[in-house]
Structures are given as C-alpha cells and as structure tokens.
Amino acid sequence: MSIPPIPTAAAAEMLADLPSLTDPALYERGDPYAVWAVLRRECPVSWHQSEEQSGYWAVTTYEPGLQVLTDWRRFTSTKGVIVRPSMDTPYPGAGRMLGMSDPPLHDRLRRPIAALFSSRAIAGLADRTRRTVRELLAAAVAAGECDFVSDVAAQIPLAVAGDLLAIADDEVDRLARAIASAADNTNDIDGAAAQKAHFTILRHYSRVMARRRQNPGDDVVSALIGAQADGVEITDAEIVVSCDNILGAASETTRHAASVGLLTMLENPAQWQALRDGRVPVRNATEEILRWTAPVTHMLRVAKEDTVLDGVPIRAGDPLAVWIASMNRDESVFERADEFLLHRPPSRYMTAFGGGVHYCLGAGLARLIISTLLEELATLDAEVIVAGTPRRIASPVVGGLATLPLAFRRR
C-alpha cells in the first residue's frame, strides 16, 4: 500500500481528536453523523490509519463520493467493498461476485438477471407485497407486541421475492436469520458466526443450482444457469457467491430502512401523524426514509491509478471508503439536510443504492416494500408504541437496528 501525503498539522490534530469511523461502538452508542459533519466541513477527503486499522481515505461529501462510486475505471470493486482491519487480506468472494466485480465480469453476471428486477417485474409483485405486509402487521397487532426487526422487517423481502430469489415459503425464516447473522457480523467477516451464516446461504444455492439444471424456473439461479448454458463465461462458484450477494442486498436494505424509518417516525410525532393523516405523499416519505437511514453506511473502492479527488492526490492501490450516510446529509446538496422531513421532494441526489454500474438491482423492490409498508402503517387500526429500548447494530457497514420492541394498542 502506498504512503499517503502527510496532512497539515491542523488536519492531523483534528483527525486525532475524532472517534474512529471503524469503531463499532460509535454506531452502537455514539453519534457517527456528528463525526461525518466535522469531516465534511473540515476535511472531506481524509486519510485514516491506526494500530488496529490499515490506512484508507474517508470520502464524506457528495461530489467526490459519487465519482468514486460511479467511475469503475479509476476505482475498482474487485478488492472488496467494506473497510477491513487489514486491507491487504483478500476479501472472500472479491472479484467473483456481482457486487465485487467490474466489467466485463460484472456485466456477464448482471445482464442475465436484469429483467427479473425491471420496473414491470417489480410491479408484478405489488399484490403479493400488500398481502405479506398486511399479514405480518395483523399478526403483530393480534399478538399485542413484536420485535419489528425480526418479526416484520426481516420477513417481508424474502416472503415477497421468494420465487425471484429461489426461496420456498418454508425456507424464509431460516434464511432470514442467516442473512441477519451474516450482516450483523460484518465487523468480523472471517469469524465463526459470519462463516456459518454464509455457509447456510451458499449451501442453499448450491442445492438450488442442481435442481434448476433439471427444472429451470423464473428466478436468478435459473437465469444465470441459462446464460452459462448459452456460452456466457460464468462459473458455478460465481453464480453461488453472487446469489449470496444478491440475497443479502435485497434483504438488508429493506430490513434496516424499514426499521430505522419507523422508529424515526415514532420519535417525530408530527411526521408520524402527517403520514397517518394522508398529508404526506408516500413516494416522498419513501425517498426521505431511504435518504435518512442510508442502510449501507459505506462502500469501499480501491484506486486503480494515480489520480486526484477533490484536490487530494490519491495513489494507485489506495483504498477509499465512501460514507454514503454522510453523502446523504451533505448540506451543499440537501436543504435542511439534518432534518427528517417526510414531505421532502424526491431528489436524484439520494445515494442509498449506490451508483453507476453498481446501482443496486433491488432498488425497485426496496421502494415497493417500503412504500407499501408506509401505506399499511398509515391505516393500521392500532396505536404503535415503542415498548423498550431499541438496540442499534454495532457496525460501520450496515446502519440499522438489531431490535425494535413495539407494542400495539387497538383503537
């Protein structure tokens, strides 16, 4: 790894006084948004390194962040997409799966499945989404209480898109727990818990591949196998790890956006009441929740060549962590950026789903689920009460809640 430029004395002192952006405690008990605000103001592209953490550039403002996320020719995804304690340690699956590959491999993996995530295909899931959300909320209200994260938010994406993701109804709960475990262990992706979770998912898709070769369906596995049979250069290993990648992305964005979004509304009674009264367009509310929650906190890229970013020299091989949660609070882009405003008009600058060739395939599905959930919550015949202390996930990678205990009081 190259040696970074020496920061000015003032910048070095400022950085030394800030909490580490990779410290899990900052996300569980601290205020990362306050740290990002300082960095946006004082040092938008800054070098971070410690005894526990290999060096990387933190990119915290919108314009340079968008450059890194969208310019795959300068900044590669093939070395991994999250900050790790040792950046020189190979990331599992890097360079082989959809989210950690660049063209042409990325195109070979994405093109066969793109139609399954088209606007028309997602619209075809609307009725199933409505039915799933109503059933889960009705069960929670009937029980009088629930953990919204595990009992509702984590269940919806897989129940809605099970056919698309090659998951049978009786496999939803088991795989939802595996996905949550894998995501919640992002600080130790080589640890036993994370490996066990990923093994469950990989084993599932290995078995599905064997079945789909005999009986193809209308799902991501069948589409990739079909492309492989048509001569597209995709290996079995690339199919399996890409399915793991797609499954996690499809589930986690929605789980965290829905959970944090609901909690934020309940903590802002005027906003919650505006939704309940129908005074807020659901589309606006959906986009504001995605901006506010930023379920994927950061994405990593590695510079492929010497370049300059926001006036800062970047050397080939330097890792850059784009803090998406900070981009979505950039005061130069979003008016009243630190206020949660459900009526805020949708903005093309919102980056919860990344950008460029890596723009999230499941963005349409996430929007459908969140908007449907908001509509059903708005008409719910019960008062929703936070019944305990929500617990945040201790992770610099996913911004979400581990638990959200709720109680329901019928009207």
Side-chain angles (χ1 to χ4, degrees), residues 7 127 303 332:
D127 289 344
S332 69

Side-chain angles (χ1 to χ4, degrees), residues 3 45 63 65 91 126 141-142 150 174 176 193 218 275 279 287 314 326 373:
I3 300 174
V45 179
E63 288 297 341
Y91 190 102
V141 171
S150 59
R174 179 175 64 89
D218 190 18
L275 177 73
R279 290 182 283 117
E287 295 302 305
I314 307 294
S326 181
L373 180 61

Side-chain angles (χ1 to χ4, degrees), residues 7 10 24 76-77 96 126 133 139 144 160 196 283 311 316 322 333 345 368 402:
T76 182
S77 301
R96 294 188 297 158
V133 170
V160 168
K196 181 179 179 182
R283 179 168 179 256
V322 178
V333 174
L368 171 65

Side-chain angles (χ1 to χ4, degrees), residues 146-397:
C146 75
D147 177 354
F148 185 79
V149 177
S150 59
D151 296 337
V152 179
Q155 301 292 322
I156 299 172
L158 302 193
V160 168
D163 293 342
L164 177 66
L165 299 171
I167 299 171
D169 290 345
D170 60 358
E171 297 171 311
V172 166
D173 188 61
R174 179 175 64 89
L175 287 173
R177 284 186 278 110
I179 295 165
S181 179
D184 294 350
N185 283 281
T186 48
N187 301 313
D188 184 18
I189 60 173
D190 295 318
Q195 287 189 3
K196 181 179 179 182
H198 281 292
F199 179 74
T200 297
I201 299 167
L202 295 173
R203 182 173 56 184
H204 169 80
Y205 280 111
S206 294
R207 291 172 174 171
V208 170
M209 279 184 62
R211 295 198 299 267
R212 290 297 188 268
R213 282 206 163 95
Q214 300 300 318
N215 297 291
D218 190 18
D219 55 65
V220 293
V221 178
S222 299
L224 289 168
I225 289 174
Q228 188 185 57
D230 289 339
V232 179
E233 295 181 16
I234 306 173
T235 68
D236 286 359
E238 288 165 351
I239 292 176
V240 171
V241 296
S242 290
C243 287
D244 180 7
N245 183 209
I246 294 166
L247 182 62
S251 177
E252 289 308 288
T253 297
T254 308
R255 175 167 77 114
H256 297 308
S259 301
V260 178
L262 177 56
L263 176 61
T264 306
M265 288 190 293
L266 294 174
E267 291 175 337
N268 291 267
Q271 298 288 311
W272 174 239
Q273 194 58 49
L275 177 73
R276 300 274 280 177
D277 291 345
R279 290 182 283 117
V280 173
V282 169
R283 179 168 179 256
N284 293 38
T286 299
E287 295 302 305
E288 177 67 349
I289 284 172
L290 288 166
R291 182 193 75 89
W292 186 261
T293 59
V296 178
T297 308
H298 82 264
M299 294 294 288
L300 184 79
R301 301 288 188 264
V302 174
K304 298 171 68 173
E305 59 188 40
D306 291 350
T307 188
V308 175
L309 185 68
D310 200 32
V312 177
I314 307 294
R315 294 184 173 91
D318 283 355
L320 302 95
V322 178
W323 295 92
I324 294 174
S326 181
M327 288 175 66
N328 280 341
R329 303 285 181 95
D330 189 333
E331 301 84 352
S332 69
V333 174
F334 299 98
E335 186 178 355
R336 299 168 68 183
D338 280 328
E339 294 183 52
F340 180 68
L341 303 171
L342 288 181
H343 65 271
R344 185 190 302 273
S347 170
R348 65 185 179 88
Y349 297 109
M350 195 275 294
T351 52
F353 297 112
V357 299
H358 287 285
Y359 186 79
C360 180
L361 265 175
L365 177 62
R367 287 186 165 103
L368 171 65
I369 291 173
I370 293 169
S371 62
T372 304
L373 180 61
L374 290 175
E375 290 168 354
E376 293 301 315
L377 284 168
T379 58
L380 195 67
D381 189 25
E383 182 181 358
V384 185
I385 304 162
V386 178
T389 302
R391 181 166 58 87
R392 288 188 282 169
I393 296 174
S395 170
V397 182

Side-chain angles (χ1 to χ4, degrees), residues 117-135:
F117 294 89
S118 68
S119 298
R120 181 177 180 179
I122 297 304
L125 296 173
D127 289 344
R128 183 168 183 172
T129 302
R130 182 82 56 190
R131 183 171 63 253
T132 298
V133 170
R134 282 181 177 172
E135 289 174 354

